[in-house]
Amino acid sequence: MAQPDSKKIFFENLSGAGKAIAVLTSGGDAQGMNAAVRAVVRMGLYVGAKVYFIHEGYQGMVDGGENIEEATWESVSSMLQVGGTVIGSARCKEFRTHEGRLKAAHNLVQQGITNLCVIGGDGSLTGANLFREEWSGLLTELVEQGSIEANAVQKYSALHIVGMVGSIDNDFCGTDMTIGTDSALHRIIEVVDAIMTTAQSHQRTFVLEVMGRHCGYLALVSALACGADWVLIPEMPPEDGWEEKMCQKLSATRSRGTRLNIIIVAEGAIDRHGKPITSGLVKDLVVKCLGFDTRVTILGHVQRGGTPSAFDRILASRMGVEAVLALLETTANTPACVVSLCGNQSVRLPLMECVQMTQEVQRAMDGKRFEEAVRLRGRSFENNLRTYKLLAHRKPESELPISNFNVAVLNVGAPAAGMNAAVRSAVRVGISEGHKMFAVSDGFEGFYKGQIKEIKWADVGGWTGQGGSLLGTKRTLPAKHVEKIAEQMRKHNINALLIVGGFEAFESLLQLYEARAAYEEFCIPMCMLPATISNNVPGTDLSIGADTALNAIVETCDRIKQSASGTKRRVFIIETMGGYCGYLASVGGLAAGADAAYIYEEPFDIRDLQANVEHLTEKMKTSIQRGLVLRNENCNENYTTDFIYQLYSEEGKGVFDSRKNVLGHMQQGGAPSPFDRNFGTKISAKAMQWVTKKLVETFRHGRVFANTEDSCCLLGMRRRALVFQPVVQLKDETDFVHRIPKEQWWLKLRPLMKILAKYKTSYDVSDSGQLEHVVRNRPKESDASVAM
């Protein structure tokens, strides 16, 4: 670990000794709730607090007794990968009454609980805030009844509340993603991908109904992720006459040779007059107007089920730890807050500000102020809707602007899931902006060989859900072939370049920038989108493809751990990819509940290995049955996977046995996750709009000439914003020998993984969320929204 910096605050200063924290899940269940409960329990115990489960939500709080149970470290083992909520959730009418809340207050005071962590939706959190406001009055009433001692009013004078939003609908304002949303999208996309194969076989139209009674997020994002032909959501009902327009669109796509149509309907979809639009109505309409063979699939509670995705586990773990820190720092005057996510940053927001904003959305919808409703949902939602319209609805040729610019797009480096979604988005946005789009096959190798051809709107249909790289990609760098590449650029009159790839793409862009001095052909706008499973590109917190790889790692770890259930104690040593970058090992370790993760960025020696073995041995002597250790492929040339496996096998004799597994290229394959599809789609659309702007700015005297640093950029996500950064300025931030950025944000998550695995460590809280206010319209770039 790095030595503590005097400027940083370390949470050893924040003690939970003498405090009692209770955690409950309320309202509808959501995947990832268990990860949040686990993080609250373990972080609470770690800081010395007593932690309690409240079973069955507010009902358990009102009923008391065995429903309020003290939690131990072992009581949250093996729950990270379980969907739903193992401590139960229930709707409680009694808690809505004063008498019910009086009973709940009595039950909490009996256990000395004055800190509540509530995981639920806006109704659950509103109830918690009301409870907090009434708290002192309730205690006074209990004293008058003789139920509690008079000194208890002073001793338990304030109730502190921190909320985490668990809702698959993502219908809570103030946070980019709620716990459970990403997993629900996984369920939807799995079904859509399966349906697409059967629909294509029979030339069918499928109408899919997804959850979202008051919020169209799931419908909108899944439509974006699968390239649906039409989507119907409650926030933005279609204009009158939509029936005819939709049928025309479906007919036009069929006439271009497409064998299927997908229509996604949110369960709360309405028309402009507030009349419900059901999946059955849409089906009847398509059959009546077009005569297409049409089927309806209602996904229902499938969306709530299954294991949580890697994203939800990481989000819930981060939020759970943040919630405990917020409770430790709270005072009697601190308002109840919600811990949430903005971009890639933890934030704390006043609970009631978020609830009021959420209620405003519903009021706007009820008043038929639909544009306002979309705006109130936040920039992320607005951006999703704008991007969907741009990509799904092709303008007639007569309405397209005529730019006379030629833009080439290519993939460079190793394939990554989501590359195809990015290319599709670039091609369609480029065509909508009036450009002629060219596809380069096999990266720069194909470029200098002249494998360049025009690519049309219909050519990229169905690309979003395909893994790998359909354009083909190679690791070849352009430096040795600049003359031939310049010749091809002259031949095809290429006015701008969009490169989708990993570290090789970054190096390539630097080489092309340097080649500008000798070749004017490279004096054009050039932009790079980071796409690599290793997430080792400087200038961005996240890369296209990394989320899919994380999910592959987490799913495999779950299966491997399950393989040991019912057998003797066992430790698994698992090797991940990533080159010298430990992102996959570290973040995968956090999501899978690993005991240790060995990486290059955090040097370790034989003493550390010995300490890890001893730590695992101690844990195995209790009720813990399985251990998980991840190792990045290049973390150390001498402490290989075989060496670590043999060491653990020898030192664990008599306590546990060991197994090893090298995950290999399975991390690179498979269909892209919803996150990667949408991240790729959205940043690619943004990049193409930047390209258009730069082309207009640099077009002088009949040609494009761009030779400034800011015309050769990488588009990356930095904390809360999507930022265009000149690649030349990123050179100083890069370790070119090991192909990693010199500073990496995710290293701050490593202590969190260690704490949740019962190690004593320092945790830097200088970066934890500070209480902010809900902003109606954040700065323009903040629609980064780490997930979607």
Side-chain angles (χ1 to χ4, degrees):
M1 285 292 300
Q3 289 300 307
D5 184 328
S6 58
K7 292 179 185 174
K8 293 177 180 176
I9 311 159
F10 287 84
F11 86 142
E12 280 83 348
N13 306 327
L14 299 170
S15 172
K19 293 193 176 184
I21 299 169
V23 59
L24 72 141
T25 53
S26 176
D29 66 311
Q31 308 96 320
M33 278 183 165
N34 289 326
V37 169
R38 171 181 176 267
V40 169
V41 169
R42 291 195 167 176
M43 189 65 169
L45 293 172
Y46 189 87
V47 296
K50 273 190 171 183
V51 187
Y52 293 85
F53 294 131
I54 298 178
H55 293 279
E56 311 307 333
Y58 288 117
Q59 190 65 57
M61 198 191 291
V62 171
D63 294 343
E66 291 180 357
N67 287 304
I68 301 176
E69 175 199 2
E70 189 170 350
T72 64
W73 194 275
E74 287 74 28
S75 61
V76 291
S77 294
S78 303
M79 67 191 285
L80 187 62
Q81 67 273 24
V82 180
T85 164
V86 298
I87 60 173
S89 179
R91 313 272 179 195
C92 180
K93 287 183 181 176
E94 203 175 348
F95 190 76
R96 294 177 186 175
T97 67
H98 182 76
E99 292 73 21
R101 292 192 291 276
L102 194 64
K103 284 184 193 175
H106 183 230
N107 290 328
L108 292 188
V109 168
Q110 282 186 315
Q111 301 289 351
I113 297 166
T114 55
N115 297 282
L116 265 188
C117 184
V118 181
I119 308 166
D122 61 333
S124 306
L125 299 176
T126 306
N129 191 63
L130 175 62
F131 190 41
R132 174 184 167 274
E133 288 172 350
E134 291 182 351
W135 181 256
S136 58
L138 293 170
L139 294 197
T140 305
E141 214 172 313
L142 288 168
V143 171
E144 288 167 2
Q145 289 176 3
S147 301
I148 59 172
E149 299 290 329
N151 65 351
V153 177
Q154 185 64 36
K155 190 176 179 182
Y156 306 118
S157 59
L159 178 69
H160 307 296
I161 304 269
V162 172
M164 282 185 273
V165 191
S167 163
I168 68 164
D169 292 339
N170 203 30
D171 55 355
F172 195 80
C173 293
T175 180
D176 284 339
M177 284 290 272
T178 57
I179 295 167
T181 305
D182 187 65
S183 301
L185 285 169
H186 273 260
R187 300 298 92 80
I188 295 167
I189 294 306
E190 283 161 15
V191 171
V192 173
D193 285 353
I195 277 174
M196 279 176 138
T197 54
T198 179
Q200 208 150 17
S201 304
H202 298 279
Q203 296 197 52
R204 281 187 177 139
T205 295
F206 268 87
V207 183
L208 263 85
E209 185 182 299
V210 301
M211 282 184 164
R213 197 174 302 121
H214 304 293
C215 179
Y217 185 88
L218 288 178
L220 178 58
V221 173
S222 53
L224 200 55
C226 70
D229 296 284
W230 204 266
V231 65
L232 294 154
I233 58 172
E235 290 88 347
M236 186 52 76
E239 301 287 346
D240 289 344
W242 64 272
E243 298 93 339
E244 191 182 337
K245 284 180 187 169
M246 183 184 76
C247 290
Q248 284 173 355
K249 165 85 194 302
L250 299 181
S251 183
T253 55
R254 283 291 176 96
S255 66
R256 288 197 293 269
T258 305
R259 291 177 61 86
L260 77 156
N261 299 109
I262 300 282
I263 301 163
I264 296 183
V265 184
E267 64 177 326
I270 51 172
D271 65 14
R272 290 264 154 182
H273 310 288
K275 185 183 165 191
I277 300 175
T278 64
S279 47
L281 185 145
V282 175
K283 177 201 165 178
D284 294 343
L285 185 69
V286 174
V287 172
K288 182 183 169 188
C289 295
L290 300 172
F292 290 173
D293 185 2
T294 308
R295 298 284 191 275
V296 171
T297 299
I298 299 172
L299 268 64
H301 283 75
V302 164
Q303 295 157 88
R304 283 195 191 280
T307 58
S309 65
F311 180 91
D312 273 330
R313 297 183 198 195
I314 296 156
L315 171 67
S317 298
R318 287 177 72 181
M319 296 302 99
V321 168
E322 185 71 34
V324 173
L325 293 176
L327 286 170
L328 292 180
E329 293 171 13
T330 193
T331 65
N333 302 320
T334 310
C337 76
V338 174
V339 292
S340 67
L341 196 70
C342 174
N344 196 24
Q345 182 78 21
S346 298
V347 293
R348 298 177 194 170
L349 299 165
L351 189 151
M352 288 317 292
E353 282 186 26
C354 296
V355 169
Q356 283 156 11
M357 177 85 86
T358 305
Q359 291 167 348
E360 269 187 60
V361 177
Q362 192 56 49
R363 283 196 290 272
M365 285 158 63
D366 292 342
K368 297 185 173 58
R369 301 189 306 277
F370 299 114
E371 283 78 7
E372 186 185 339
V374 169
R375 196 174 68 252
L376 287 168
R377 278 272 181 244
R379 285 203 178 274
S380 173
F381 192 92
E382 263 188 300
N383 193 25
N384 282 324
L385 187 58
R386 199 182 311 116
T387 307
Y388 175 76
K389 286 178 177 175
L390 200 59
L391 299 175
H393 303 296
R394 185 182 184 181
K395 292 178 185 172
E397 296 286 339
S398 56
E399 289 181 28
L400 291 174
I402 300 169
S403 72
N404 293 323
F405 292 126
N406 295 344
V407 180
V409 60
L410 67 157
N411 295 336
V412 176
M419 274 183 163
N420 297 321
V423 171
R424 169 186 175 265
S425 178
V427 168
R428 291 196 169 178
V429 173
I431 290 168
S432 298
E433 306 260 310
H435 309 317
K436 191 181 274 191
M437 298 300 296
F438 287 84
V440 182
S441 300
D442 296 335
F444 282 106
E445 192 172 307
F447 211 136
Y448 81 79
K449 289 177 178 174
Q451 295 171 9
I452 305 165
K453 62 175 183 180
E454 190 180 349
I455 188 164
K456 300 286 183 68
W457 184 281
D459 295 338
V460 290
W463 279 33
T464 316
Q466 304 242 30
S469 165
L470 293 171
L471 284 184
T473 181
K474 294 279 176 75
R475 293 179 184 270
T476 309
L477 298 179
K480 293 179 182 175
H481 311 285
V482 280
E483 194 173 327
K484 287 180 180 175
I485 292 168
E487 188 185 314
Q488 291 296 335
M489 291 182 77
R490 272 197 307 277
K491 182 179 172 184
H492 293 92
N493 190 26
I494 302 297
N495 306 118
L497 265 187
L498 182 69
I499 303 171
V500 184
F503 201 87
E504 289 89 353
F506 172 64
E507 289 180 301
S508 299
L509 210 51
L510 279 171
Q511 291 177 3
L512 294 182
Y513 176 81
E514 284 158 13
R516 280 176 167 179
Y519 299 93
E520 280 194 3
E521 288 81 3
F522 301 119
C523 294
I524 57 171
M526 294 187 280
C527 185
M528 175 201 159
L529 303 179
T532 165
I533 68 163
S534 304
N535 197 30
N536 64 332
V537 178
T540 187
D541 289 352
L542 295 168
S543 303
I544 299 164
D547 183 71
T548 306
L550 273 181
N551 277 289
I553 291 167
V554 168
E555 284 167 25
T556 309
C557 288
D558 286 352
R559 290 184 180 192
I560 287 170
K561 283 203 290 185
Q562 196 176 37
S563 73
S565 62
T567 65
K568 56 185 178 177
R569 297 182 180 99
R570 184 164 285 170
V571 173
F572 295 95
I573 318 294
I574 295 173
E575 183 186 297
T576 66
M577 290 174 89
Y580 284 95
C581 180
Y583 175 81
L584 290 179
S586 296
V587 182
L590 176 61
D595 295 280
Y598 301 118
I599 61 169
Y600 168 77
E601 293 91 342
E602 200 172 274
F604 59 96
D605 58 25
I606 195 70
R607 288 179 294 276
D608 298 310
L609 291 171
Q610 183 63 31
N612 291 151
V613 173
E614 287 169 4
H615 182 80
L616 260 174
T617 305
E618 282 304 306
K619 281 172 75 174
M620 289 285 182
K621 286 175 182 174
T622 64
S623 60
I624 306 293
Q625 295 292 310
R626 286 156 289 176
L628 187 66
V629 174
L630 270 64
R631 178 191 176 273
N632 165 254
E633 59 184 347
N634 288 345
C635 65
N636 189 296
E637 61 180 337
N638 295 314
Y639 300 135
T640 62
T641 303
D642 276 334
F643 177 90
I644 292 172
Y645 160 67
Q646 287 164 4
L647 178 74
Y648 273 74
S649 297
E650 181 61 33
E651 297 296 319
K653 269 183 183 172
V655 181
F656 60 80
D657 64 3
S658 302
R659 295 287 185 274
K660 64 174 177 176
N661 199 302
V662 178
L663 299 185
H665 283 76
M666 65 165 292
Q667 297 160 83
Q668 216 163 36
S673 66
F675 178 99
D676 280 330
R677 296 180 195 203
N678 289 302
F679 188 52
T681 297
K682 284 166 70 174
I683 67 167
S684 187
K686 193 174 182 72
M688 279 309 301
Q689 287 163 342
W690 176 88
V691 164
T692 301
K693 182 168 156 272
K694 287 290 174 191
L695 283 168
V696 172
E697 284 174 7
T698 58
F699 186 69
R700 297 284 180 275
H701 312 299
R703 72 180 187 130
V704 173
F705 186 81
N707 64 348
T708 54
E709 285 184 2
D710 67 354
S711 64
C712 182
C713 284
L714 178 147
L715 173 56
M717 204 186 87
R718 286 280 177 100
R719 292 165 76 91
R720 300 191 189 189
L722 284 172
V723 189
F724 289 96
Q725 302 146 98
V727 286
V728 179
Q729 293 175 17
L730 293 173
K731 279 174 81 172
D732 292 340
E733 297 178 22
T734 310
D735 173 355
F736 284 95
V737 176
H738 299 101
R739 297 157 59 88
I740 53 173
K742 289 177 182 174
E743 286 190 19
Q744 301 185 83
W745 70 274
W746 51 264
L747 285 168
K748 289 184 178 177
L749 299 182
R750 281 183 63 78
L752 195 153
M753 181 193 77
K754 292 176 183 178
I755 287 166
L756 298 179
K758 216 175 183 178
Y759 283 92
K760 288 287 176 190
T761 185
S762 294
Y763 183 55
D764 172 17
V765 296
S766 62
D767 202 39
S768 68
Q770 302 303 311
L771 193 66
E772 301 179 14
H773 291 283
V774 179
V775 182
R776 283 174 189 274
N777 279 318
R778 293 186 184 130
K780 263 205 168 171
E781 264 81 34
S782 77
D783 56 9
S785 50
V786 65
M788 311 296 169

